[in-house]
Amino acid sequence: MSYIELKNVSFEYPGGFLAVDDISMSIEKGENVAIVGQNGAGKTTTVKLLNALHYPTKGDVLIGDMNTRKFTTAQVSRRVGYVFQNPDDQIFHSTIIDEVAFGPKMMRLPDDRQKQLVNKALSMTGMKRYRHENPYNLPLSVRKFVTIASIIAMDCDVMVFDEPTAGQDYVGNKRLAKIIRTLSEQGKTLITISHDMVFVADHFPRIIVMSNKKIIADGTPQDVFWNLPILEEAMLKQPYVSRICHELGVGDRIIRMDEAVDAIAFACGIKEDMA
Amino acid sequence: MGAVIKVENITYRYPLTEKPAIKNLSFEIEEGGFYGIIGPNGSGKTTLCALLRGFAPSFYKGDLEGQVLVDEKPTTAYLEGELSLRIGYVFQNPFNQISGVKDTVFEEIAYGLENFGVPVDEIEDRVVRAMKLTDIESLAMKKPFEISGGQQQRMALASTLVLEPGILIIDEPTSQLDPEGTESVFKVIETLKQTKKTVILVEHKIDLIAEYAEKIIVLKNGEAIRIGDKQDILSDIALEAEGIQLPQYAALGSRLRERGVDLEYIPITEKQALDVIGKAISKEAKTNVVH
């Protein structure tokens, strides 16, 4: 059995709105997974089921040996950290360092361990130099890194990032990519929701596509971004470089920029990387 | 066509701050032009929009040196209502814009015109036209808060367009939208181009800026580090060193050139990339035939 299991899970909001309809998925410990799909496809509801912000109305959610039904949100969230889509739904302290220190404090870890975790989280997210600032002095896209730091400081096994790429600039996207890579190397299980197909194609070995409350595809970037009927159903597009290689008939299911450069250079008769 | 906005050597500080948010900025906005403002977060993009619209310094206060002229008159010399008819402003987050007091999308769009005392028959005509332009006619009777993010952003655009401003400032309209919603907003913005409006757009999605804008203003630390035609600016690999993303096709083109591929020019849009890379490939195919 995998570390995370969703077994025929449905979720209906009070009032009867069905947001997730009979989905199943398995994620191994240490996997780095992206979830893509339109707004309203059920992505956020699905990840909220993972840390018991929601409990399934049908089916079961298993995290390791825990069935979320039998535990409180506080218990499950020690294992599964969730970074909200909107940082302002999460932040409630007046300095960044207090905000990031809150999780470790609530977990009643020894003082020096708390300090160590907070420091590491602030450094990794680039928030160290702002630590004594009010989070609201920073623009929204930077504030997002405060909420990411808060979850990293809790050192959960599983971390869920809900649309961290929204509104990010070049530097923000690079920083995010680095955080994801570092956490992944540390063996964390990561699940990231994003609308940025270039970012997803570049940084995730596995992509889950949701559409209309269901999972409609689950595989490598090649599997997903070269399955054109699936993309159409999910109203998504290929990454730009895939599109152009597709149109030009160059290479084999190109996903990333460096692959596209190789394939096009080859088609132009340049056999080897001169650089 | 003449300049509708002239920015004359402005430096601006928010109240109680020492460091200027905008420094020594000068440029002109031509009538009917489509300007993309790009730059890292915190570089002053939204502040610049607020200055062009006159929100700064009139609403945000603060300290402005130099001046912003709209139709040759300083923004500080306008009465508040006057500029809102000349310059439409669409906020980053549609929630900041939706009035919250109207029950339907139709009424929400009509709200501004009601406040200006426009006759009822004319209101109906103009609201219908604005909904057509933004492709939300089918949502007329829906509740403003029960439509999708992309639809809300288009409703916000319609609420602004209905006032028929000659100039539109749009601040990151798609940062919270999915790819489909983003596309729908850009389609509307493209139709605005044909209505001869002057459009000033702040946007991080550089590939879409490359597709739709004409002129580019690049801000960094409150200063304009580049102003000019999009083809020149967005094809310049030196921008990456400034922390600014190039369009994917320009990055691809630059890397291909480094590899020794003979490209006529650096493409910035899909159409250009297909053209210029396609030519490079077929040139090679022809040489092979000759051999």
Side-chain angles (χ1 to χ4, degrees):
Chain A
M1 206 179 72
S2 303
Y3 187 59
I4 297 174
E5 292 271 356
L6 269 69
K7 291 183 178 170
N8 301 101
V9 169
S10 296
F11 180 77
E12 209 177 283
Y13 281 94
F17 177 74
L18 183 68
V20 165
D21 184 10
D22 190 27
I23 63 168
S24 296
M25 65 165 138
S26 311
I27 296 175
E28 301 295 338
K29 203 160 190 171
E31 269 200 279
N32 181 18
V33 183
I35 304 182
V36 300
Q38 265 197 294
N39 288 340
K43 305 184 299 295
T44 294
T45 306
T46 299
V47 296
K48 283 184 173 173
L49 286 160
L50 295 179
N51 81 334
L53 277 172
H54 294 320
Y55 291 96
T57 40
K58 274 191 204 139
D60 288 297
V61 176
L62 308 173
I63 313 289
D65 53 5
M66 297 167 106
N67 183 327
T68 61
R69 283 181 193 287
K70 299 188 181 116
F71 295 87
T72 65
T73 306
Q75 287 168 324
V76 180
S77 62
R78 288 197 174 192
R79 204 171 274 187
V80 182
Y82 172 65
V83 179
F84 280 74
Q85 186 170 348
N86 179 358
D88 303 347
D89 289 344
Q90 188 172 329
I91 291 172
F92 64 106
H93 287 89
S94 60
T95 66
I96 287 169
I97 192 158
D98 287 349
E99 179 69 31
V100 176
F102 179 74
K105 200 161 95 189
M106 285 300 106
M107 292 160 80
R108 299 207 169 79
L109 299 170
D111 276 2
D112 47 342
R113 177 71 179 146
Q114 284 189 32
K115 265 198 196 122
Q116 187 198 0
L117 285 171
V118 171
N119 254 322
K120 194 182 110 188
L122 289 171
S123 304
M124 201 191 288
T125 52
M127 290 299 102
K128 198 161 197 169
R129 62 188 168 132
Y130 303 123
R131 64 189 179 281
H132 299 301
E133 293 242 15
N134 187 311
Y136 287 93
N137 288 346
L138 303 176
L140 184 82
S141 59
V142 182
R143 205 145 69 231
K144 187 92 186 186
F145 286 100
V146 176
T147 57
I148 292 173
S150 306
I151 298 304
I152 293 175
M154 291 175 71
D155 201 33
C156 313
D157 291 342
V158 183
M159 300 189 196
V160 180
F161 303 122
D162 198 346
E163 287 191 36
T165 50
Q168 293 299 345
D169 58 11
Y170 187 56
V171 175
N173 263 342
K174 281 198 153 176
R175 183 184 290 165
L176 263 178
K178 194 167 169 219
I179 292 170
I180 288 171
R181 199 168 56 237
T182 309
L183 292 171
S184 187
E185 281 163 9
Q186 290 172 358
K188 300 294 182 195
T189 308
L190 305 175
I191 299 160
T192 306
I193 295 177
S194 178
H195 287 315
D196 184 337
M197 295 307 129
V198 175
F199 187 82
V200 166
D202 281 349
H203 302 293
F204 299 88
R206 177 177 170 194
I207 301 170
I208 293 173
V209 184
M210 293 193 70
S211 173
N212 198 21
K213 309 159 200 218
K214 300 240 187 218
I215 291 172
I216 60 166
D218 182 347
T220 65
Q222 272 84 4
D223 296 340
V224 166
F225 287 124
W226 283 88
N227 188 337
L228 302 182
I230 284 288
L231 291 183
E232 193 173 338
E233 187 182 343
M235 292 180 157
L236 298 173
K237 283 197 167 158
Q238 283 187 302
Y240 294 98
V241 294
S242 307
R243 258 195 258 175
I244 190 133
C245 290
H246 181 64
E247 288 282 331
L248 293 169
V250 169
D252 175 28
R253 300 197 303 162
I254 300 291
I255 293 293
R256 293 197 324 263
M257 179 73 73
D258 53 343
E259 301 168 343
V261 171
D262 284 346
I264 294 169
F266 185 77
C268 292
I270 296 163
K271 303 289 188 265
E272 271 169 48
D273 189 349
M274 304 304 209
Chain B
M1 276 186 272
V4 284
I5 300 182
K6 286 185 186 166
V7 174
E8 295 184 341
N9 197 25
I10 57 170
T11 294
Y12 173 74
R13 289 176 182 82
Y14 281 103
L16 308 175
T17 59
E18 298 224 333
K19 203 179 139 224
I22 292 289
K23 257 184 287 185
N24 308 324
L25 202 56
S26 296
F27 62 88
E28 293 186 356
I29 300 279
E30 301 271 328
E31 185 166 14
F34 191 139
Y35 293 78
I37 302 181
I38 61 174
N41 284 324
S43 60
K45 301 186 297 296
T46 297
T47 304
L48 177 58
C49 291
L51 283 159
L52 297 180
R53 168 62 180 78
F55 290 145
S58 73
F59 176 77
Y60 292 112
K61 308 301 177 199
D63 176 30
L64 173 68
E65 293 163 38
Q67 56 182 0
V68 178
L69 303 174
V70 175
D71 302 326
E72 303 295 337
K73 181 171 152 186
T75 50
T76 48
Y78 280 90
L79 298 171
E80 180 45 40
E82 283 180 296
L83 266 183
S84 70
L85 288 175
R86 180 71 175 123
I87 308 180
Y89 197 102
V90 181
F91 289 85
Q92 191 167 348
N93 182 345
F95 280 124
N96 292 343
Q97 190 140 359
I98 298 172
S99 70
V101 299
K102 292 295 180 183
D103 291 331
T104 66
V105 168
F106 189 97
E107 291 172 46
E108 177 66 29
I109 298 168
Y111 188 48
L113 294 176
E114 279 175 2
N115 287 341
F116 282 110
V118 175
V120 175
D121 289 354
E122 194 188 328
I123 289 183
E124 277 197 22
D125 281 353
R126 283 168 71 170
V127 171
V128 168
R129 242 183 298 149
M131 286 196 304
K132 244 186 209 152
L133 198 56
T134 50
D135 196 21
I136 53 170
E137 291 157 282
S138 59
L139 306 175
M141 302 319 281
K142 296 248 183 188
K143 292 185 177 145
F145 287 102
E146 288 181 358
I147 57 180
S148 76
Q151 292 167 340
Q152 278 180 349
Q153 198 54 277
R154 279 182 283 152
M155 177 181 72
L157 262 169
S159 311
T160 308
L161 288 173
V162 80
L163 303 174
E164 295 171 3
I167 306 167
L168 262 175
I169 299 176
I170 311 173
D171 188 3
E172 283 194 55
T174 68
S175 66
Q176 306 300 322
L177 302 183
D178 60 17
E180 179 75 7
T182 301
E183 196 96 333
S184 71
V185 168
F186 269 88
K187 284 212 176 102
V188 172
I189 294 174
E190 195 181 26
T191 57
L192 296 182
K193 247 163 109 169
Q194 289 142 22
T195 62
K196 305 253 157 58
K197 297 219 186 282
T198 307
V199 178
I200 300 162
L201 173 68
V202 174
E203 179 62 60
H204 279 303
K205 291 179 180 130
I206 196 72
D207 303 283
L208 293 169
I209 284 277
E211 189 71 46
Y212 294 101
E214 295 161 353
K215 301 267 167 99
I216 304 288
I217 299 168
V218 186
L219 290 183
K220 196 182 176 188
N221 296 326
E223 293 179 86
I225 56 169
R226 299 271 207 298
I227 298 179
D229 283 331
K230 70 169 172 185
Q231 193 72 36
D232 300 334
I233 291 180
L234 297 182
S235 61
D236 181 3
I237 190 89
L239 273 189
E240 283 187 349
E242 303 274 6
I244 290 148
Q245 184 129 38
L246 282 189
Q248 286 278 303
Y249 297 123
L252 178 64
S254 302
R255 282 162 182 78
L256 286 172
R257 263 196 186 163
E258 279 169 29
R259 258 318 248 291
V261 176
D262 183 19
L263 294 184
E264 250 173 71
Y265 59 96
I266 297 290
I268 62 170
T269 63
E270 179 165 321
K271 196 163 159 244
Q272 291 179 354
L274 285 173
D275 168 51
V276 76
I277 298 173
K279 276 185 196 157
I281 294 174
S282 60
K283 202 159 47 182
E284 163 63 18
K286 271 184 213 145
T287 342
N288 277 343
V289 172
V290 175
H291 285 296

